[in-house]
Amino acid sequence: MPLYGAIEAGGTKFVCLVGTGPENVRGRVRFPTTTPEETLSRAAAFFQQADEPLLALGIGCFGPVDLNPDSPTYGYITSTPKPGWQNVDVVGYFQKTLGVPVAFDTDVNAAALGEHLWGAAQDVRTFVYITVGTGIGGGAMVEGRLIHGLIHPEMGHMRIPHREEEDPFPGICPYHGDCLEGLASGPALAARWQEEPHRLPADHPAWDLEARYLGLAIANLVCTLSPERIILGGGVMHQTHLFPRIRHVVRETLAGYVQHPALLDHIDQYIVPPALGDDAGIFGALALAIQVTRSA
Ligand code: ZN
């Protein structure tokens, strides 16, 4: 049986997997993201040891990345603040070392594709996948296609109302201060409350504030993309008590203007966790590999 390779390339860790889907995983490894040289060669070595030759490799990558196939820097990580990783040719490296077709997208677009193929978005063609963890990112599929557009969506950096009299925390985004990621990512929670987020009890005021910021962002996405579903993954969303609070904020923010049963009677099936859980990203990368061989 032909096998595919997948990489979830994150700023703190890499996950590599060989298989054909969630039901057939032949090998899997994770290791910390260090220098590009060390990290990429470790990934390549893992795939070179696979039992069967790979048909293709899919990579869901932290960014920003260049997704324009006509660009001379296609497949590069571009302007990331992560030291040493600016202008790294990720796709070129694996094409050279493995000699197989390489599919490349953002980590969150990959996760969206994984959820579309095997998870919580199998029955819809327009939806958003958002991860809330060390950063906040969003991927989107519209009418069955992942959005790239100008560069790729950077939903984590959208601006949302920040009432400084209620929340004087200035935010931690090095570019914008109090953008969504600056206010509501895991590190923002830790900095605001001086506590690791997973140690904050469910009745801590941190969570109502968190739900408000995420709910406002999602209401904006409902108004701009008209998604048929919103999937919320990432470490912060392990706090499952956030889901009902976020749904409440979304409904309140939309104030009855966007009328659809999904937002009224069925909002608990509209704003949902990823069915693949923390594996949405790695299986999404695998889905990218499968997709590239189908389109070839
Ligand atoms: Zn920002």
Side-chain angles (χ1 to χ4, degrees):
M1 186 190 284
L3 294 179
Y4 301 92
I7 302 176
E8 182 185 12
T12 51
K13 69 173 195 310
F14 264 51
V15 182
C16 301
L17 181 147
V18 169
T20 59
E23 304 302 318
N24 181 27
V25 173
R26 299 294 188 84
R28 179 178 177 136
V29 69
R30 62 181 275 178
F31 45 85
T33 307
T34 56
T35 63
E37 297 72 25
E38 187 178 52
T39 311
L40 298 181
S41 67
R42 208 165 162 183
F46 168 76
F47 293 115
Q48 282 157 346
Q49 289 159 10
D51 320 335
E52 322 253 341
L54 300 182
L55 221 56
L57 175 70
I59 306 172
C61 193
F62 73 100
V65 290
D66 187 343
L67 300 178
N68 174 9
D70 297 328
S71 158
T73 53
Y74 167 74
Y76 280 54
I77 294 173
T78 57
S79 55
T80 179
K82 189 167 173 61
W85 283 84
Q86 293 92 2
N87 305 310
V88 170
D89 181 8
V90 177
V91 169
Y93 177 84
F94 288 105
Q95 279 173 338
K96 232 173 289 163
T97 53
L98 301 179
V100 295
V102 178
F104 187 64
D105 214 316
T106 62
D107 44 6
V108 276
N109 262 351
L113 185 63
E115 287 292 316
H116 183 58
L117 204 55
W118 294 302
Q122 294 180 56
D123 57 332
V124 293
R125 286 166 50 82
T126 299
F127 68 97
V128 173
Y129 178 94
I130 299 168
T131 182
V132 188
T134 36
I136 298 182
M141 180 175 277
V142 172
E143 310 293 0
R145 290 176 69 98
L146 296 171
I147 298 189
H148 293 165
L150 186 68
I151 300 164
H152 45 74
E154 283 287 356
M155 300 180 195
H157 295 271
M158 74 171 88
R159 311 310 298 262
I160 49 170
H162 175 204
R163 296 185 204 135
E164 285 172 48
E165 62 282 9
E166 277 172 48
D167 174 26
F169 181 67
I172 57 154
C173 175
Y175 292 88
H176 317 113
D178 63 352
C179 64
L180 179 62
E181 179 172 295
L183 289 173
S185 61
L189 281 164
R192 181 190 287 106
W193 303 105
Q194 295 295 304
E195 182 63 281
E196 285 306 309
H198 69 270
R199 300 173 71 96
L200 294 167
D203 60 357
H204 192 280
W207 299 119
D208 276 336
L209 192 63
E210 181 73 4
R212 186 162 99 217
Y213 291 141
L214 293 173
L216 285 165
I218 291 167
N220 288 340
L221 291 167
V222 171
C223 294
T224 45
L225 288 177
S226 190
E228 299 166 276
R229 191 155 297 136
I230 307 269
I231 302 173
L232 294 177
V236 171
M237 295 311 301
H238 290 172
Q239 306 288 330
T240 51
H241 56 79
L242 279 171
F243 279 92
R245 301 183 206 211
I246 291 168
R247 292 175 188 130
H248 176 76
V249 174
V250 170
R251 213 153 31 183
E252 212 177 54
T253 306
L254 293 171
Y257 180 71
V258 180
Q259 289 275 345
H260 192 281
L263 294 165
L264 302 169
D265 308 326
H266 307 294
I267 196 164
D268 52 337
Q269 291 142 53
Y270 182 73
I271 298 171
V272 298
L276 297 171
D278 292 338
D279 285 339
I282 188 62
F283 285 119
L286 196 67
L288 284 171
I290 294 170
Q291 198 180 50
V292 78
T293 53
R294 281 182 190 162
S295 65

